[in-house]
Amino acid sequence: MVVTGRGAVTPLGPDWAATWEGLLAGRSGVSEVTGFEVDDLPVRIGAEVRGFDPLAHVPRHTVRRTDWTIQAGIAAARMALAEAGLELDDTLAPRVGVAVGSIIGSTRIASDNAAAMAAEGYGGVSPHVFPTMGISAAAELALALGARGPSAELVAACATGTMCIGEAARWISEGRADVAVAGGMDAFGRLELAAAARARVLSRRTGDPAAASRPFDRGRDGFVIGAGAGVLVLESAEHAVRRGAPIRAELAGYAATTDAHHLTAPAPEGAQMDRAMRESLAAARLNTDEVGYVNAHGTGTLLNDASEVAALRRVYGEQAGRMPVSSTKSMTGHLLAAGGAVEAAVISEVLGTGLVPPTVNCDDPEFPGINFVAHKTQEHPVQVAVSHSFGFGGHNAVLVMRRWNG
């Protein structure tokens, strides 16, 4: 299984190239929220997307009836297909699957129409709202792209993007598709920011937005909510080689587990995180000492970071102190369903370039003996890279990629 295309819309840029450039520069995409009123909220910061024009990627009639989340997902998918050099014709389309997910989905359309109905009655409800609420993000992308293979929306909290990629890879390995478009997309509005603030999971560093996302730092006080989309194009190696595709990385292993412990808190010491790490490496037939980089889930919450490091040390032993481990959420914020997909693109790029993006704001690491790539990008020759995604509800998912040497 190989990765041939990557597309992204993130707080660091409207495409994957700009996002990667921002990550290497250690630039923060976190700022005071300007997209809606926040003056009465205890948290007024977030990682919003700026400079993205949906009409550059999505027809006007689709923009009119869809939420921004869908528009960003379609854009990321089209950019990923362009990087892969793929056009979906009548021959290929039946062999192309779509697996994407969104945590927030199109709830803003539902909320807006509920408000319009309360104010105006029946006539205030859009005729588009029912199909928009009922059709999955995967169906929207399949419709936009013309993909006619299997399609499904998978929602697994913050592990959504990673699990969509892993499950889509299984379609290909089972012979159900030759190509898959997979990833996640999300956005946030006033309701989501207020709800996360009420749950007390967000950083309260309202006066210093760029320093708010602090994975693994002693001063961390929660994550920063973000918006974006990330999509990978996966292909069977045979299909990619046959058409002379640009191969970015090999997707070598994937595993998913569930804590079944608590709605928001990870299981003590990350026991099921541990198992997802081990099973993904076993699926890839790799040993821990072969791993050269880990893109950590690293949200900047007290419990998540501590549990992830505990599991990492148990699984990797001494290797945990030798390899770089960084959290790009320190710059992008937590992109929810899009996070794991964007971070999968990150590890594919690390394998190709040997450049490891930093964990910014890691001024006083709580966990000694681990190279969190604090502040600045480092150079490391990496043959195998791993990405972690651990979500509310106890969802754990891990991807393993290997440098393509075929």
Side-chain angles (χ1 to χ4, degrees):
M1 196 76 50
V2 296
V3 177
T4 57
R6 300 150 306 183
V9 177
T10 77
L12 295 179
D15 54 36
W16 173 241
T19 297
W20 179 242
E21 181 183 7
L23 291 171
L24 294 183
R27 181 162 52 86
S28 174
V30 181
S31 62
E32 184 163 339
V33 171
T34 60
F36 49 87
E37 181 59 51
V38 295
D39 286 349
D40 60 333
L41 300 181
V43 176
R44 299 186 292 278
I45 60 173
E48 295 179 294
V49 171
R50 307 180 194 278
F52 167 64
D53 179 11
L55 291 172
H57 307 273
V58 183
R60 189 174 298 276
H61 64 85
T62 303
V63 170
R64 281 201 302 267
R65 70 167 183 80
T66 58
D67 188 86
W68 182 94
T69 304
I70 299 297
Q71 299 160 23
I74 292 171
R78 286 190 164 145
M79 288 187 277
L81 285 168
E83 185 180 70
L86 271 175
E87 293 186 12
L88 275 59
D89 57 20
D90 286 341
T91 301
L92 180 59
R95 300 291 299 165
V96 178
V98 177
V100 294
S102 172
I103 300 170
I104 306 301
S106 298
T107 53
R108 288 183 297 180
I109 288 179
S111 297
D112 290 348
N113 277 267
M117 186 173 183
E120 306 170 37
Y122 172 76
V125 179
S126 166
H128 298 298
V129 71
F130 184 70
T132 298
M133 290 168 61
I135 295 175
S136 73
E140 290 279 14
L141 263 67
L143 179 64
L145 303 176
R148 300 181 196 137
S151 66
E153 178 166 12
L154 176 66
V155 181
C158 309
T160 293
T162 297
M163 289 193 69
C164 286
I165 291 168
E167 296 302 322
R170 287 177 172 169
W171 291 348
I172 296 174
S173 65
E174 292 168 0
R176 298 167 60 192
D178 294 323
V179 177
V181 175
M185 64 283 296
D186 254 319
F188 67 97
R190 181 173 161 81
L191 174 61
E192 289 76 33
L193 185 62
R198 286 286 283 174
R200 306 195 67 83
V201 296
L202 297 182
S203 171
R204 300 293 175 109
R205 288 176 179 262
T206 294
D208 192 6
S213 185
R214 312 182 67 82
F216 308 115
D217 186 75
R218 291 182 191 277
R220 68 191 187 279
D221 68 334
F223 70 82
V224 174
I225 196 169
V231 172
L232 300 189
V233 173
L234 309 177
E235 299 185 53
S236 68
E238 295 79 8
H239 187 271
V241 169
R242 185 166 62 246
R243 69 180 189 86
I247 295 176
R248 314 297 174 179
E250 177 190 357
L251 179 52
Y254 158 69
T257 64
T258 307
D259 288 354
H261 168 71
H262 189 271
L263 190 62
T264 58
E269 295 295 303
Q272 301 307 314
M273 296 178 182
D274 174 322
R275 191 160 63 87
M277 294 177 196
R278 294 184 191 278
E279 290 184 3
S280 65
L281 290 171
R285 299 179 181 177
L286 290 167
N287 299 317
T288 54
D289 59 4
E290 296 176 89
V291 176
Y293 168 62
V294 170
N295 185 285
H297 186 56
T299 59
T301 62
L302 292 174
L303 291 178
N304 175 84
D305 288 9
S307 295
E308 184 171 14
V309 170
L312 189 78
R313 284 174 164 161
R314 281 198 309 277
V315 172
Y316 286 91
E318 292 183 0
Q319 181 69 0
R322 290 193 289 261
M323 64 188 180
V325 177
S326 70
S327 172
T328 45
K329 288 183 181 71
S330 61
M331 295 169 280
T332 65
H334 192 336
L335 305 184
L336 306 177
V342 171
E343 290 153 16
V346 168
I347 64 171
S348 75
E349 197 75 73
V350 169
L351 290 167
T353 64
L355 298 174
V356 175
T359 307
V360 302
N361 301 321
C362 193
D363 300 327
D364 184 16
E366 180 179 346
F367 312 98
I370 294 179
N371 174 12
F372 289 117
V373 196
H375 309 308
K376 292 184 179 180
T377 292
Q378 296 177 3
E379 292 188 37
H380 295 271
V382 178
Q383 295 294 321
V384 175
V386 175
S387 178
H388 296 167
S389 293
F390 307 129
F392 283 179
H395 296 286
N396 307 304
V398 178
L399 293 174
V400 181
M401 290 190 193
R402 180 163 39 206
R403 188 172 186 175
W404 177 253
N405 294 313

